PDB file of all heavy atoms in Angstrom:
ATOM      1  N   THR A  66     -51.621-179.618 117.392  1.00 97.00           N
ATOM      2  CA  THR A  66     -51.942-178.235 117.293  1.00 97.00           C
ATOM      3  C   THR A  66     -53.027-177.809 118.331  1.00 97.00           C
ATOM      4  O   THR A  66     -53.830-178.578 118.693  1.00 97.00           O
ATOM      5  CB  THR A  66     -52.497-177.908 115.852  1.00 97.00           C
ATOM      6  OG1 THR A  66     -52.565-176.530 115.700  1.00 97.00           O
ATOM      7  CG2 THR A  66     -53.825-178.514 115.576  1.00 97.00           C
ATOM      8  N   LEU A  67     -52.788-176.583 118.848  1.00 97.00           N
ATOM      9  CA  LEU A  67     -53.659-176.053 119.923  1.00 97.00           C
ATOM     10  C   LEU A  67     -55.041-175.707 119.350  1.00 97.00           C
ATOM     11  O   LEU A  67     -55.153-175.380 118.170  1.00 97.00           O
ATOM     12  CB  LEU A  67     -53.058-174.818 120.541  1.00 97.00           C
ATOM     13  CG  LEU A  67     -52.044-175.032 121.723  1.00 97.00           C
ATOM     14  CD1 LEU A  67     -50.876-175.958 121.264  1.00 97.00           C
ATOM     15  CD2 LEU A  67     -51.609-173.741 122.273  1.00 97.00           C
ATOM     16  N   GLY A  68     -56.058-175.787 120.160  1.00 96.00           N
ATOM     17  CA  GLY A  68     -57.405-175.455 119.732  1.00 96.00           C
ATOM     18  C   GLY A  68     -58.457-175.814 120.745  1.00 96.00           C
ATOM     19  O   GLY A  68     -58.102-176.277 121.861  1.00 96.00           O
ATOM     20  N   TYR A  69     -59.753-175.758 120.320  1.00 96.00           N
ATOM     21  CA  TYR A  69     -60.851-176.030 121.191  1.00 96.00           C
ATOM     22  C   TYR A  69     -61.750-177.127 120.631  1.00 96.00           C
ATOM     23  O   TYR A  69     -61.704-177.448 119.460  1.00 96.00           O
ATOM     24  CB  TYR A  69     -61.634-174.750 121.440  1.00 96.00           C
ATOM     25  CG  TYR A  69     -60.844-173.647 122.032  1.00 96.00           C
ATOM     26  CD1 TYR A  69     -60.569-172.517 121.316  1.00 96.00           C
ATOM     27  CD2 TYR A  69     -60.388-173.708 123.318  1.00 96.00           C
ATOM     28  CE1 TYR A  69     -59.892-171.408 121.830  1.00 96.00           C
ATOM     29  CE2 TYR A  69     -59.683-172.653 123.883  1.00 96.00           C
ATOM     30  CZ  TYR A  69     -59.388-171.532 123.124  1.00 96.00           C
ATOM     31  OH  TYR A  69     -58.661-170.495 123.659  1.00 96.00           O
ATOM     32  N   ASN A  70     -62.650-177.637 121.468  1.00 96.00           N
ATOM     33  CA  ASN A  70     -63.519-178.684 121.108  1.00 96.00           C
ATOM     34  C   ASN A  70     -64.851-178.187 120.544  1.00 96.00           C
ATOM     35  O   ASN A  70     -65.688-179.041 120.139  1.00 96.00           O
ATOM     36  CB  ASN A  70     -63.791-179.574 122.303  1.00 96.00           C
ATOM     37  CG  ASN A  70     -62.667-180.541 122.598  1.00 96.00           C
ATOM     38  OD1 ASN A  70     -62.115-181.132 121.625  1.00 96.00           O
ATOM     39  ND2 ASN A  70     -62.287-180.692 123.806  1.00 96.00           N
ATOM     40  N   SER A  71     -65.067-176.882 120.486  1.00 97.00           N
ATOM     41  CA  SER A  71     -66.400-176.408 119.998  1.00 97.00           C
ATOM     42  C   SER A  71     -66.225-175.001 119.439  1.00 97.00           C
ATOM     43  O   SER A  71     -65.304-174.241 119.731  1.00 97.00           O
ATOM     44  CB  SER A  71     -67.379-176.354 121.144  1.00 97.00           C
ATOM     45  OG  SER A  71     -67.112-175.312 122.103  1.00 97.00           O
ATOM     46  N   LEU A  72     -67.114-174.680 118.550  1.00 97.00           N
ATOM     47  CA  LEU A  72     -67.118-173.364 117.943  1.00 97.00           C
ATOM     48  C   LEU A  72     -67.372-172.297 118.990  1.00 97.00           C
ATOM     49  O   LEU A  72     -66.758-171.182 118.944  1.00 97.00           O
ATOM     50  CB  LEU A  72     -68.219-173.256 116.827  1.00 97.00           C
ATOM     51  CG  LEU A  72     -68.323-171.985 116.079  1.00 97.00           C
ATOM     52  CD1 LEU A  72     -67.023-171.719 115.351  1.00 97.00           C
ATOM     53  CD2 LEU A  72     -69.439-171.983 115.125  1.00 97.00           C
ATOM     54  N   ASP A  73     -68.221-172.517 119.956  1.00 96.00           N
ATOM     55  CA  ASP A  73     -68.507-171.501 121.031  1.00 96.00           C
ATOM     56  C   ASP A  73     -67.197-171.114 121.723  1.00 96.00           C
ATOM     57  O   ASP A  73     -66.993-169.885 122.087  1.00 96.00           O
ATOM     58  CB  ASP A  73     -69.527-172.009 121.986  1.00 96.00           C
ATOM     59  CG  ASP A  73     -70.927-172.065 121.448  1.00 96.00           C
ATOM     60  OD1 ASP A  73     -71.202-171.317 120.451  1.00 96.00           O
ATOM     61  OD2 ASP A  73     -71.769-172.774 122.004  1.00 96.00           O
ATOM     62  N   GLU A  74     -66.299-172.098 121.956  1.00 96.00           N
ATOM     63  CA  GLU A  74     -65.035-171.732 122.602  1.00 96.00           C
ATOM     64  C   GLU A  74     -64.175-170.798 121.737  1.00 96.00           C
ATOM     65  O   GLU A  74     -63.493-169.904 122.251  1.00 96.00           O
ATOM     66  CB  GLU A  74     -64.263-173.032 122.954  1.00 96.00           C
ATOM     67  CG  GLU A  74     -64.964-173.866 124.084  1.00 96.00           C
ATOM     68  CD  GLU A  74     -64.222-175.186 124.266  1.00 96.00           C
ATOM     69  OE1 GLU A  74     -64.501-176.115 123.528  1.00 96.00           O
ATOM     70  OE2 GLU A  74     -63.446-175.227 125.215  1.00 96.00           O
ATOM     71  N   TYR A  75     -64.193-170.983 120.406  1.00 96.00           N
ATOM     72  CA  TYR A  75     -63.431-170.169 119.531  1.00 96.00           C
ATOM     73  C   TYR A  75     -64.074-168.751 119.539  1.00 96.00           C
ATOM     74  O   TYR A  75     -63.356-167.730 119.504  1.00 96.00           O
ATOM     75  CB  TYR A  75     -63.398-170.702 118.087  1.00 96.00           C
ATOM     76  CG  TYR A  75     -62.439-171.831 117.898  1.00 96.00           C
ATOM     77  CD1 TYR A  75     -62.864-173.148 117.893  1.00 96.00           C
ATOM     78  CD2 TYR A  75     -61.104-171.591 117.749  1.00 96.00           C
ATOM     79  CE1 TYR A  75     -61.967-174.204 117.721  1.00 96.00           C
ATOM     80  CE2 TYR A  75     -60.213-172.616 117.493  1.00 96.00           C
ATOM     81  CZ  TYR A  75     -60.621-173.866 117.524  1.00 96.00           C
ATOM     82  OH  TYR A  75     -59.672-174.934 117.337  1.00 96.00           O
ATOM     83  N   LEU A  76     -65.367-168.682 119.559  1.00 95.00           N
ATOM     84  CA  LEU A  76     -66.034-167.418 119.563  1.00 95.00           C
ATOM     85  C   LEU A  76     -65.699-166.601 120.826  1.00 95.00           C
ATOM     86  O   LEU A  76     -65.645-165.415 120.825  1.00 95.00           O
ATOM     87  CB  LEU A  76     -67.540-167.572 119.424  1.00 95.00           C
ATOM     88  CG  LEU A  76     -68.023-168.113 118.109  1.00 95.00           C
ATOM     89  CD1 LEU A  76     -69.509-168.475 118.107  1.00 95.00           C
ATOM     90  CD2 LEU A  76     -67.762-167.149 116.961  1.00 95.00           C
ATOM     91  N   ASN A  77     -65.596-167.311 121.976  1.00 91.00           N
ATOM     92  CA  ASN A  77     -65.276-166.693 123.204  1.00 91.00           C
ATOM     93  C   ASN A  77     -63.778-166.360 123.374  1.00 91.00           C
ATOM     94  O   ASN A  77     -63.448-165.590 124.290  1.00 91.00           O
ATOM     95  CB  ASN A  77     -65.765-167.601 124.384  1.00 91.00           C
ATOM     96  CG  ASN A  77     -67.265-167.732 124.443  1.00 91.00           C
ATOM     97  OD1 ASN A  77     -68.001-166.807 124.027  1.00 91.00           O
ATOM     98  ND2 ASN A  77     -67.698-168.860 124.918  1.00 91.00           N
ATOM     99  N   ASN A  78     -62.949-166.904 122.524  1.00 86.00           N
ATOM    100  CA  ASN A  78     -61.519-166.681 122.643  1.00 86.00           C
ATOM    101  C   ASN A  78     -60.932-166.343 121.251  1.00 86.00           C
ATOM    102  O   ASN A  78     -59.880-166.853 120.900  1.00 86.00           O
ATOM    103  CB  ASN A  78     -60.848-167.948 123.220  1.00 86.00           C
ATOM    104  CG  ASN A  78     -61.284-168.280 124.600  1.00 86.00           C
ATOM    105  OD1 ASN A  78     -60.854-167.728 125.541  1.00 86.00           O
ATOM    106  ND2 ASN A  78     -62.241-169.259 124.693  1.00 86.00           N
ATOM    107  N   ASN A  79     -61.504-165.449 120.524  1.00 72.00           N
ATOM    108  CA  ASN A  79     -61.229-165.213 119.187  1.00 72.00           C
ATOM    109  C   ASN A  79     -59.841-164.655 118.954  1.00 72.00           C
ATOM    110  O   ASN A  79     -59.179-164.884 117.952  1.00 72.00           O
ATOM    111  CB  ASN A  79     -62.244-164.238 118.513  1.00 72.00           C
ATOM    112  CG  ASN A  79     -62.192-164.363 117.020  1.00 72.00           C
ATOM    113  OD1 ASN A  79     -62.119-165.381 116.443  1.00 72.00           O
ATOM    114  ND2 ASN A  79     -62.207-163.179 116.382  1.00 72.00           N
ATOM    115  N   GLU A  80     -59.372-163.914 119.908  1.00 76.00           N
ATOM    116  CA  GLU A  80     -58.026-163.189 119.738  1.00 76.00           C
ATOM    117  C   GLU A  80     -56.905-164.205 119.912  1.00 76.00           C
ATOM    118  O   GLU A  80     -55.705-163.808 119.743  1.00 76.00           O
ATOM    119  CB  GLU A  80     -57.918-162.086 120.725  1.00 76.00           C
ATOM    120  CG  GLU A  80     -58.887-160.924 120.414  1.00 76.00           C
ATOM    121  CD  GLU A  80     -58.665-159.724 121.237  1.00 76.00           C
ATOM    122  OE1 GLU A  80     -57.763-159.769 122.124  1.00 76.00           O
ATOM    123  OE2 GLU A  80     -59.435-158.733 121.067  1.00 76.00           O
ATOM    124  N   SER A  81     -57.142-165.441 120.212  1.00 81.00           N
ATOM    125  CA  SER A  81     -56.028-166.445 120.305  1.00 81.00           C
ATOM    126  C   SER A  81     -55.500-166.745 118.908  1.00 81.00           C
ATOM    127  O   SER A  81     -54.324-167.169 118.789  1.00 81.00           O
ATOM    128  CB  SER A  81     -56.543-167.741 121.009  1.00 81.00           C
ATOM    129  OG  SER A  81     -57.516-168.379 120.123  1.00 81.00           O
ATOM    130  N   TYR A  82     -56.313-166.664 117.859  1.00 95.00           N
ATOM    131  CA  TYR A  82     -55.903-166.966 116.512  1.00 95.00           C
ATOM    132  C   TYR A  82     -55.519-168.464 116.337  1.00 95.00           C
ATOM    133  O   TYR A  82     -54.879-168.808 115.328  1.00 95.00           O
ATOM    134  CB  TYR A  82     -54.768-166.095 115.982  1.00 95.00           C
ATOM    135  CG  TYR A  82     -55.104-164.631 116.026  1.00 95.00           C
ATOM    136  CD1 TYR A  82     -54.616-163.772 117.072  1.00 95.00           C
ATOM    137  CD2 TYR A  82     -55.882-164.126 115.023  1.00 95.00           C
ATOM    138  CE1 TYR A  82     -54.939-162.413 116.995  1.00 95.00           C
ATOM    139  CE2 TYR A  82     -56.217-162.719 115.025  1.00 95.00           C
ATOM    140  CZ  TYR A  82     -55.751-161.877 116.026  1.00 95.00           C
ATOM    141  OH  TYR A  82     -56.027-160.566 115.975  1.00 95.00           O
ATOM    142  N   PHE A  83     -55.896-169.327 117.241  1.00 97.00           N
ATOM    143  CA  PHE A  83     -55.445-170.782 117.151  1.00 97.00           C
ATOM    144  C   PHE A  83     -55.890-171.309 115.805  1.00 97.00           C
ATOM    145  O   PHE A  83     -57.103-171.418 115.457  1.00 97.00           O
ATOM    146  CB  PHE A  83     -56.089-171.592 118.215  1.00 97.00           C
ATOM    147  CG  PHE A  83     -55.579-171.311 119.636  1.00 97.00           C
ATOM    148  CD1 PHE A  83     -56.340-171.514 120.731  1.00 97.00           C
ATOM    149  CD2 PHE A  83     -54.278-170.878 119.789  1.00 97.00           C
ATOM    150  CE1 PHE A  83     -55.861-171.267 121.977  1.00 97.00           C
ATOM    151  CE2 PHE A  83     -53.759-170.654 121.107  1.00 97.00           C
ATOM    152  CZ  PHE A  83     -54.549-170.813 122.176  1.00 97.00           C
ATOM    153  N   GLY A  84     -54.898-171.736 114.933  1.00 97.00           N
ATOM    154  CA  GLY A  84     -55.174-172.465 113.749  1.00 97.00           C
ATOM    155  C   GLY A  84     -55.803-171.749 112.600  1.00 97.00           C
ATOM    156  O   GLY A  84     -56.096-172.303 111.566  1.00 97.00           O
ATOM    157  N   THR A  85     -55.967-170.439 112.739  1.00 97.00           N
ATOM    158  CA  THR A  85     -56.849-169.708 111.798  1.00 97.00           C
ATOM    159  C   THR A  85     -56.105-169.205 110.576  1.00 97.00           C
ATOM    160  O   THR A  85     -54.874-169.047 110.515  1.00 97.00           O
ATOM    161  CB  THR A  85     -57.480-168.473 112.503  1.00 97.00           C
ATOM    162  OG1 THR A  85     -58.493-167.938 111.690  1.00 97.00           O
ATOM    163  CG2 THR A  85     -56.405-167.385 112.749  1.00 97.00           C
TER     164      THR A  85
END
Side-chain angles (χ1 to χ4, degrees):
T66 191
L67 274 58
Y69 301 112
N70 282 317
S71 70
L72 183 61
D73 286 340
E74 290 174 280
Y75 282 101
L76 293 171
N77 293 332
N78 298 279
N79 196 46
E80 292 184 1
S81 66
Y82 299 104
F83 291 150
T85 194

